[in-house]
Amino acid sequence: MTQGHNLLPRIGVLALQGDFEAHLRMLAELGAEGKAIRLPEQLEEINGIIIPGGESTTIGKLMIEYNLLEPLRQKIRDGIPVWGTCAGLILLAQETDNALAGQPLLASLDIKVRRNAFGSQRESFETDLVVPELGEAPFHTFFIRGPLVEKVGPGVEVLATLDDGTIVAVRKGTRLGTAFHPEVSGDTRFHQYFLRIVESVSN
């Protein structure tokens, strides 16, 4: 359902497991309508979708259990804007070097990711990222057992890297991926950026 020009976009947040509530809170803070997605028919009611952090293997299995995997793949193929954060980035990737057997991927973004690239929970960290698309002020990021992007395909734009060149944010058209958790930063700029992508398609 396409929203009219005067309506804010309705953003679905995959709500099978993980930190979906933080995304819903941040969308509400921006005045957007967020909707928890658990069933295939709910995909018809949204203009964009966020796939949150959590445990990628569990989310993948639940997508199959709730009959969401193929409908979600189709919506993305049809051009609905999608944003994967942390585990969501893994699920969007075409390829991951150390997926567990049977790990279903949406395979919607031409990148290769490495899961749990920064070590265990104890080795999670936070850092300031320079993200030119968001303006001059650095974006304070939280990496929680985050993946990294090992390789990007043709046309994939690198939005941000760590100081050592590790790729941690990418975009191709209406598909966005971040290896960190913008929803816990208190900084709404990445969510605003995604809303602009959605609005560019909806209007």
Short mmCIF file of all heavy atoms in Angstrom, two decimals, residues 149-194:
data_model
loop_
_atom_site.label_atom_id
_atom_site.label_comp_id
_atom_site.label_asym_id
_atom_site.label_seq_id
_atom_site.Cartn_x
_atom_site.Cartn_y
_atom_site.Cartn_z
N VAL A 149 31.96 -6.19 6.75
CA VAL A 149 31.79 -6.43 5.32
C VAL A 149 33.17 -6.70 4.73
O VAL A 149 34.04 -5.84 4.75
CB VAL A 149 31.12 -5.23 4.62
CG1 VAL A 149 31.00 -5.48 3.12
CG2 VAL A 149 29.76 -4.94 5.25
N GLU A 150 33.36 -7.92 4.22
CA GLU A 150 34.67 -8.30 3.67
C GLU A 150 34.83 -7.88 2.22
O GLU A 150 35.94 -7.64 1.76
CB GLU A 150 34.83 -9.82 3.76
CG GLU A 150 35.04 -10.33 5.16
CD GLU A 150 35.51 -11.76 5.16
OE1 GLU A 150 34.90 -12.62 4.50
OE2 GLU A 150 36.52 -12.04 5.84
N LYS A 151 33.69 -7.82 1.50
CA LYS A 151 33.78 -7.57 0.06
C LYS A 151 32.47 -6.93 -0.39
O LYS A 151 31.40 -7.33 0.08
CB LYS A 151 34.00 -8.90 -0.66
CG LYS A 151 34.38 -8.80 -2.12
CD LYS A 151 34.84 -10.15 -2.64
CE LYS A 151 33.73 -11.20 -2.61
NZ LYS A 151 34.16 -12.50 -3.16
N VAL A 152 32.56 -5.94 -1.27
CA VAL A 152 31.35 -5.35 -1.85
C VAL A 152 31.34 -5.59 -3.35
O VAL A 152 32.39 -5.59 -3.99
CB VAL A 152 31.23 -3.83 -1.55
CG1 VAL A 152 31.16 -3.57 -0.06
CG2 VAL A 152 32.37 -3.05 -2.18
N GLY A 153 30.14 -5.79 -3.88
CA GLY A 153 29.98 -6.01 -5.31
C GLY A 153 29.85 -4.70 -6.07
O GLY A 153 29.89 -3.61 -5.49
N PRO A 154 29.68 -4.78 -7.39
CA PRO A 154 29.57 -3.59 -8.23
C PRO A 154 28.38 -2.72 -7.80
O PRO A 154 27.30 -3.23 -7.52
CB PRO A 154 29.33 -4.16 -9.63
CG PRO A 154 29.73 -5.59 -9.56
CD PRO A 154 29.56 -6.03 -8.15
N GLY A 155 28.61 -1.42 -7.73
CA GLY A 155 27.52 -0.51 -7.43
C GLY A 155 27.18 -0.37 -5.96
O GLY A 155 26.30 0.41 -5.60
N VAL A 156 27.88 -1.11 -5.10
CA VAL A 156 27.62 -0.99 -3.66
C VAL A 156 28.47 0.15 -3.11
O VAL A 156 29.69 0.16 -3.25
CB VAL A 156 27.93 -2.31 -2.91
CG1 VAL A 156 27.73 -2.11 -1.40
CG2 VAL A 156 27.05 -3.44 -3.41
N GLU A 157 27.81 1.12 -2.51
CA GLU A 157 28.48 2.30 -1.99
C GLU A 157 28.90 2.04 -0.54
O GLU A 157 28.09 1.58 0.27
CB GLU A 157 27.50 3.48 -2.05
CG GLU A 157 28.03 4.79 -1.56
CD GLU A 157 26.96 5.87 -1.54
OE1 GLU A 157 25.81 5.59 -1.91
OE2 GLU A 157 27.29 6.99 -1.12
N VAL A 158 30.15 2.34 -0.22
CA VAL A 158 30.62 2.24 1.15
C VAL A 158 30.33 3.56 1.85
O VAL A 158 30.82 4.62 1.45
CB VAL A 158 32.13 1.93 1.20
CG1 VAL A 158 32.64 1.96 2.64
CG2 VAL A 158 32.41 0.57 0.56
N LEU A 159 29.49 3.51 2.90
CA LEU A 159 29.10 4.73 3.62
C LEU A 159 30.03 5.05 4.78
O LEU A 159 30.17 6.21 5.16
CB LEU A 159 27.67 4.59 4.15
CG LEU A 159 26.56 4.40 3.12
CD1 LEU A 159 25.22 4.24 3.84
CD2 LEU A 159 26.49 5.58 2.17
N ALA A 160 30.63 4.01 5.38
CA ALA A 160 31.49 4.24 6.54
C ALA A 160 32.46 3.08 6.73
O ALA A 160 32.12 1.93 6.46
CB ALA A 160 30.65 4.42 7.81
N THR A 161 33.65 3.43 7.23
CA THR A 161 34.65 2.42 7.58
C THR A 161 35.23 2.77 8.95
O THR A 161 35.19 3.92 9.38
CB THR A 161 35.81 2.36 6.57
OG1 THR A 161 36.50 3.62 6.59
CG2 THR A 161 35.31 2.08 5.15
N LEU A 162 35.80 1.76 9.59
CA LEU A 162 36.60 2.01 10.79
C LEU A 162 37.94 2.63 10.37
O LEU A 162 38.26 2.70 9.19
CB LEU A 162 36.83 0.71 11.55
CG LEU A 162 35.58 -0.03 12.07
CD1 LEU A 162 35.99 -1.31 12.79
CD2 LEU A 162 34.77 0.87 12.99
N ASP A 163 38.72 3.05 11.35
CA ASP A 163 40.00 3.69 11.05
C ASP A 163 40.93 2.79 10.24
O ASP A 163 41.76 3.28 9.47
CB ASP A 163 40.72 4.09 12.36
CG ASP A 163 40.02 5.26 13.04
OD1 ASP A 163 39.22 5.94 12.38
OD2 ASP A 163 40.26 5.48 14.24
N ASP A 164 40.78 1.48 10.42
CA ASP A 164 41.67 0.56 9.70
C ASP A 164 41.14 0.17 8.32
O ASP A 164 41.69 -0.69 7.64
CB ASP A 164 41.93 -0.71 10.53
CG ASP A 164 40.66 -1.52 10.76
OD1 ASP A 164 39.57 -1.13 10.26
OD2 ASP A 164 40.74 -2.56 11.47
N GLY A 165 40.04 0.81 7.90
CA GLY A 165 39.49 0.54 6.58
C GLY A 165 38.40 -0.52 6.55
O GLY A 165 37.80 -0.78 5.50
N THR A 166 38.11 -1.15 7.70
CA THR A 166 37.05 -2.16 7.76
C THR A 166 35.70 -1.52 7.40
O THR A 166 35.31 -0.51 7.99
CB THR A 166 36.96 -2.76 9.18
OG1 THR A 166 38.21 -3.38 9.49
CG2 THR A 166 35.85 -3.79 9.27
N ILE A 167 35.00 -2.12 6.45
CA ILE A 167 33.71 -1.57 5.98
C ILE A 167 32.61 -1.95 6.96
O ILE A 167 32.42 -3.13 7.28
CB ILE A 167 33.38 -2.12 4.58
CG1 ILE A 167 34.46 -1.70 3.57
CG2 ILE A 167 32.01 -1.63 4.11
CD1 ILE A 167 34.36 -2.40 2.22
N VAL A 168 31.86 -0.93 7.42
CA VAL A 168 30.82 -1.21 8.42
C VAL A 168 29.46 -0.61 8.05
O VAL A 168 28.49 -0.79 8.79
CB VAL A 168 31.25 -0.70 9.82
CG1 VAL A 168 32.41 -1.55 10.35
CG2 VAL A 168 31.62 0.78 9.80
N ALA A 169 29.36 0.09 6.91
CA ALA A 169 28.06 0.58 6.45
C ALA A 169 28.07 0.66 4.94
O ALA A 169 29.03 1.19 4.35
CB ALA A 169 27.73 1.94 7.06
N VAL A 170 27.02 0.13 4.30
CA VAL A 170 26.96 0.08 2.84
C VAL A 170 25.54 0.40 2.37
O VAL A 170 24.56 0.26 3.11
CB VAL A 170 27.35 -1.32 2.29
CG1 VAL A 170 28.82 -1.62 2.53
CG2 VAL A 170 26.48 -2.42 2.90
N ARG A 171 25.46 0.80 1.10
CA ARG A 171 24.15 1.03 0.49
C ARG A 171 24.23 0.70 -0.99
O ARG A 171 25.22 0.99 -1.66
CB ARG A 171 23.74 2.50 0.66
CG ARG A 171 22.44 2.83 -0.06
CD ARG A 171 22.07 4.30 0.04
NE ARG A 171 20.88 4.59 -0.73
CZ ARG A 171 20.36 5.80 -0.89
NH1 ARG A 171 20.92 6.85 -0.31
NH2 ARG A 171 19.27 5.98 -1.63
N LYS A 172 23.17 0.10 -1.48
CA LYS A 172 22.99 -0.04 -2.93
C LYS A 172 21.53 0.26 -3.24
O LYS A 172 20.64 -0.51 -2.86
CB LYS A 172 23.36 -1.43 -3.43
CG LYS A 172 23.27 -1.52 -4.95
CD LYS A 172 23.83 -2.81 -5.51
CE LYS A 172 23.81 -2.76 -7.04
NZ LYS A 172 24.34 -4.02 -7.63
N GLY A 173 21.31 1.41 -3.85
CA GLY A 173 19.93 1.80 -4.17
C GLY A 173 19.09 1.96 -2.91
O GLY A 173 19.41 2.76 -2.04
N THR A 174 18.05 1.14 -2.81
CA THR A 174 17.14 1.23 -1.65
C THR A 174 17.53 0.24 -0.56
O THR A 174 16.76 0.02 0.38
CB THR A 174 15.70 0.94 -2.09
OG1 THR A 174 15.65 -0.33 -2.75
CG2 THR A 174 15.19 2.01 -3.05
N ARG A 175 18.70 -0.36 -0.67
CA ARG A 175 19.13 -1.38 0.30
C ARG A 175 20.30 -0.85 1.12
O ARG A 175 21.32 -0.45 0.57
CB ARG A 175 19.51 -2.67 -0.43
CG ARG A 175 18.35 -3.21 -1.26
CD ARG A 175 18.73 -4.31 -2.20
NE ARG A 175 17.61 -4.62 -3.10
CZ ARG A 175 17.60 -5.63 -3.96
NH1 ARG A 175 18.66 -6.43 -4.07
NH2 ARG A 175 16.55 -5.84 -4.72
N LEU A 176 20.11 -0.87 2.44
CA LEU A 176 21.06 -0.27 3.36
C LEU A 176 21.49 -1.31 4.38
O LEU A 176 20.67 -2.12 4.83
CB LEU A 176 20.37 0.92 4.05
CG LEU A 176 21.13 1.75 5.08
CD1 LEU A 176 22.31 2.48 4.42
CD2 LEU A 176 20.18 2.76 5.73
N GLY A 177 22.77 -1.30 4.74
CA GLY A 177 23.25 -2.24 5.75
C GLY A 177 24.27 -1.60 6.66
O GLY A 177 25.16 -0.88 6.20
N THR A 178 24.12 -1.83 7.99
CA THR A 178 25.09 -1.33 8.96
C THR A 178 25.48 -2.47 9.89
O THR A 178 24.63 -3.25 10.32
CB THR A 178 24.52 -0.16 9.78
OG1 THR A 178 23.30 -0.54 10.40
CG2 THR A 178 24.25 1.05 8.90
N ALA A 179 26.78 -2.53 10.22
CA ALA A 179 27.29 -3.61 11.07
C ALA A 179 27.09 -3.32 12.55
O ALA A 179 27.36 -4.15 13.40
CB ALA A 179 28.78 -3.83 10.80
N PHE A 180 26.57 -2.13 12.85
CA PHE A 180 26.43 -1.68 14.24
C PHE A 180 24.96 -1.45 14.57
O PHE A 180 24.07 -1.76 13.78
CB PHE A 180 27.28 -0.42 14.46
CG PHE A 180 27.12 0.60 13.37
CD1 PHE A 180 26.11 1.54 13.40
CD2 PHE A 180 27.99 0.59 12.27
CE1 PHE A 180 25.95 2.47 12.38
CE2 PHE A 180 27.85 1.52 11.25
CZ PHE A 180 26.83 2.45 11.30
N HIS A 181 24.73 -0.87 15.75
CA HIS A 181 23.37 -0.70 16.28
C HIS A 181 23.03 0.79 16.41
O HIS A 181 23.16 1.37 17.49
CB HIS A 181 23.26 -1.37 17.66
CG HIS A 181 23.26 -2.85 17.63
ND1 HIS A 181 22.11 -3.60 17.70
CD2 HIS A 181 24.27 -3.73 17.51
CE1 HIS A 181 22.42 -4.89 17.64
NE2 HIS A 181 23.73 -4.99 17.53
N PRO A 182 22.58 1.45 15.34
CA PRO A 182 22.26 2.88 15.43
C PRO A 182 21.08 3.16 16.36
O PRO A 182 20.95 4.27 16.87
CB PRO A 182 21.89 3.27 13.99
CG PRO A 182 22.33 2.14 13.14
CD PRO A 182 22.35 0.93 13.99
N GLU A 183 20.26 2.16 16.58
CA GLU A 183 19.03 2.37 17.37
C GLU A 183 19.30 2.57 18.85
O GLU A 183 18.43 3.02 19.59
CB GLU A 183 18.05 1.20 17.15
CG GLU A 183 18.41 -0.09 17.84
CD GLU A 183 19.51 -0.89 17.15
OE1 GLU A 183 20.01 -0.44 16.08
OE2 GLU A 183 19.89 -1.93 17.69
N VAL A 184 20.52 2.26 19.32
CA VAL A 184 20.84 2.46 20.74
C VAL A 184 21.74 3.68 20.95
O VAL A 184 22.16 3.95 22.07
CB VAL A 184 21.49 1.20 21.37
CG1 VAL A 184 20.54 0.03 21.31
CG2 VAL A 184 22.81 0.86 20.70
N SER A 185 22.02 4.42 19.89
CA SER A 185 23.00 5.51 19.97
C SER A 185 22.41 6.80 20.54
O SER A 185 23.14 7.67 20.98
CB SER A 185 23.55 5.80 18.57
OG SER A 185 22.52 6.33 17.75
N GLY A 186 21.08 6.93 20.48
CA GLY A 186 20.46 8.20 20.84
C GLY A 186 20.53 9.22 19.70
O GLY A 186 19.98 10.31 19.79
N ASP A 187 21.21 8.86 18.61
CA ASP A 187 21.36 9.72 17.44
C ASP A 187 20.43 9.21 16.35
O ASP A 187 20.55 8.07 15.91
CB ASP A 187 22.83 9.67 16.99
CG ASP A 187 23.18 10.66 15.89
OD1 ASP A 187 22.28 11.02 15.09
OD2 ASP A 187 24.35 11.05 15.80
N THR A 188 19.50 10.04 15.92
CA THR A 188 18.46 9.58 14.98
C THR A 188 18.87 9.71 13.51
O THR A 188 18.08 9.38 12.63
CB THR A 188 17.16 10.39 15.19
OG1 THR A 188 17.45 11.79 14.96
CG2 THR A 188 16.60 10.20 16.58
N ARG A 189 20.09 10.15 13.24
CA ARG A 189 20.41 10.51 11.85
C ARG A 189 20.37 9.33 10.89
O ARG A 189 19.98 9.50 9.72
CB ARG A 189 21.79 11.19 11.79
CG ARG A 189 21.74 12.64 12.29
CD ARG A 189 23.12 13.28 12.22
NE ARG A 189 24.05 12.64 13.14
CZ ARG A 189 25.37 12.70 13.02
NH1 ARG A 189 25.93 13.35 12.02
NH2 ARG A 189 26.15 12.11 13.91
N PHE A 190 20.77 8.13 11.33
CA PHE A 190 20.71 6.99 10.40
C PHE A 190 19.26 6.62 10.11
O PHE A 190 18.91 6.27 8.97
CB PHE A 190 21.46 5.77 10.95
CG PHE A 190 22.69 5.44 10.15
CD1 PHE A 190 23.96 5.67 10.67
CD2 PHE A 190 22.60 4.93 8.86
CE1 PHE A 190 25.10 5.39 9.93
CE2 PHE A 190 23.73 4.65 8.11
CZ PHE A 190 24.98 4.88 8.65
N HIS A 191 18.38 6.71 11.10
CA HIS A 191 16.97 6.44 10.86
C HIS A 191 16.36 7.50 9.94
O HIS A 191 15.55 7.18 9.06
CB HIS A 191 16.21 6.35 12.19
CG HIS A 191 16.49 5.07 12.93
ND1 HIS A 191 17.68 4.85 13.60
CD2 HIS A 191 15.75 3.95 13.09
CE1 HIS A 191 17.65 3.65 14.14
NE2 HIS A 191 16.50 3.07 13.84
N GLN A 192 16.77 8.76 10.11
CA GLN A 192 16.31 9.81 9.21
C GLN A 192 16.79 9.54 7.78
O GLN A 192 16.04 9.76 6.81
CB GLN A 192 16.84 11.17 9.68
CG GLN A 192 16.18 11.68 10.95
CD GLN A 192 16.87 12.94 11.48
OE1 GLN A 192 18.09 13.01 11.57
NE2 GLN A 192 16.08 13.94 11.82
N TYR A 193 18.02 9.07 7.66
CA TYR A 193 18.58 8.74 6.34
C TYR A 193 17.75 7.65 5.67
O TYR A 193 17.40 7.76 4.48
CB TYR A 193 20.04 8.30 6.54
CG TYR A 193 20.79 7.92 5.28
CD1 TYR A 193 21.08 8.87 4.30
CD2 TYR A 193 21.22 6.62 5.09
CE1 TYR A 193 21.79 8.53 3.16
CE2 TYR A 193 21.94 6.26 3.94
CZ TYR A 193 22.21 7.22 2.99
OH TYR A 193 22.91 6.87 1.85
N PHE A 194 17.39 6.61 6.43
CA PHE A 194 16.57 5.54 5.86
C PHE A 194 15.18 6.06 5.49
O PHE A 194 14.64 5.69 4.44
CB PHE A 194 16.47 4.36 6.85
CG PHE A 194 15.68 3.20 6.30
CD1 PHE A 194 16.12 2.52 5.16
CD2 PHE A 194 14.51 2.79 6.90
CE1 PHE A 194 15.39 1.44 4.65
CE2 PHE A 194 13.78 1.72 6.39
CZ PHE A 194 14.22 1.05 5.26
#
